[in-house]
Amino acid sequence: MDLTQDQLLALLNQESAEVSAIVLSKLPVARAAELLGRLPGERARRITHAVSQTADILPEAVARIGRGLA
């Protein structure tokens, strides 16, 4: 499923910082950076911090999150 930047931005604003971090970690760096730049500063900081907390998430969990978001 290919979402537009606006659709992804809406998704990132609705989900927890941890889920948003996982979503961003699966995107190309340039696309993730653009999305982070479009988020309000505090929200972007929370998501960026969550990236470090979700580094060891198992692939099965990522797959479940992906199915849930779809």
Side-chain angles (χ1 to χ4, degrees):
M1 166 177 15
D2 286 325
L3 298 176
T4 67
Q5 289 295 84
D6 288 336
Q7 290 170 321
L8 278 170
L9 191 62
L11 180 99
L12 295 175
N13 277 313
Q14 294 174 6
E15 293 298 331
S16 69
E18 294 78 15
V19 169
S20 295
I22 293 165
V23 169
L24 288 177
S25 73
K26 300 304 173 189
L27 296 174
V29 173
R31 191 166 188 197
E34 180 184 338
L35 285 164
L36 276 173
R38 292 180 60 191
L39 290 167
E42 180 58 30
R43 177 79 177 146
R45 282 188 288 280
R46 273 189 254 136
I47 292 171
T48 301
H49 177 70
V51 169
S52 67
Q53 297 175 323
T54 58
D56 296 327
I57 191 164
L58 298 174
E60 295 82 18
V62 173
R64 281 194 313 269
I65 291 168
R67 284 190 301 273
L69 293 174

